[in-house]
Amino acid sequence: MASRPKPDSGVLRIGTRASELALRQARLVEAALLARGIASELVTFKTTGDKKLDQPLTEIGAKGLFTRELEVALSKSKIDCAVCIR
């Protein structure tokens, strides 16, 4: 996904799902940025795919179940970049 550094605070806001795997991946990105002198913070999201555990994914829709909330937050500048797997 695209990134837009936040000019006012100097801290890059990284959006990620709150699942353990997603957090591990986002922490790798956070560490790589820190090694290059870029401060960042993780902003976690519980996505539609994370919330609707009682229904098959095919019933609730196939597109964007695990990324839509991240994409919306990115488009509204609530985060500067997102770590997700497609």
Side-chain angles (χ1 to χ4, degrees):
M1 295 190 159
S3 68
R4 293 183 290 273
K6 188 177 177 187
D8 54 338
S9 73
V11 176
L12 190 73
R13 298 165 298 171
I14 303 170
T16 181
R17 290 178 53 224
S19 73
E20 188 57 39
L21 177 59
L23 284 170
R24 286 179 191 214
Q25 294 166 334
R27 286 183 188 123
L28 290 172
V29 172
E30 184 179 39
L33 289 169
L34 186 58
R36 289 159 180 79
I38 301 170
S40 61
E41 66 180 352
L42 299 182
V43 181
T44 59
F45 292 83
K46 197 163 189 180
T47 64
T48 302
D50 297 317
K51 294 174 191 172
K52 299 203 174 193
L53 301 175
D54 59 335
Q55 294 176 287
L57 297 178
T58 53
E59 286 182 15
I60 55 176
K63 187 170 166 86
L65 290 177
F66 297 100
T67 60
R68 179 174 211 123
E69 288 82 352
L70 294 166
E71 292 169 352
V72 169
L74 188 60
S75 71
K76 292 183 177 184
S77 297
K78 293 183 179 186
I79 56 174
D80 301 303
C81 63
V83 175
C84 61
I85 295 178
R86 289 185 168 207

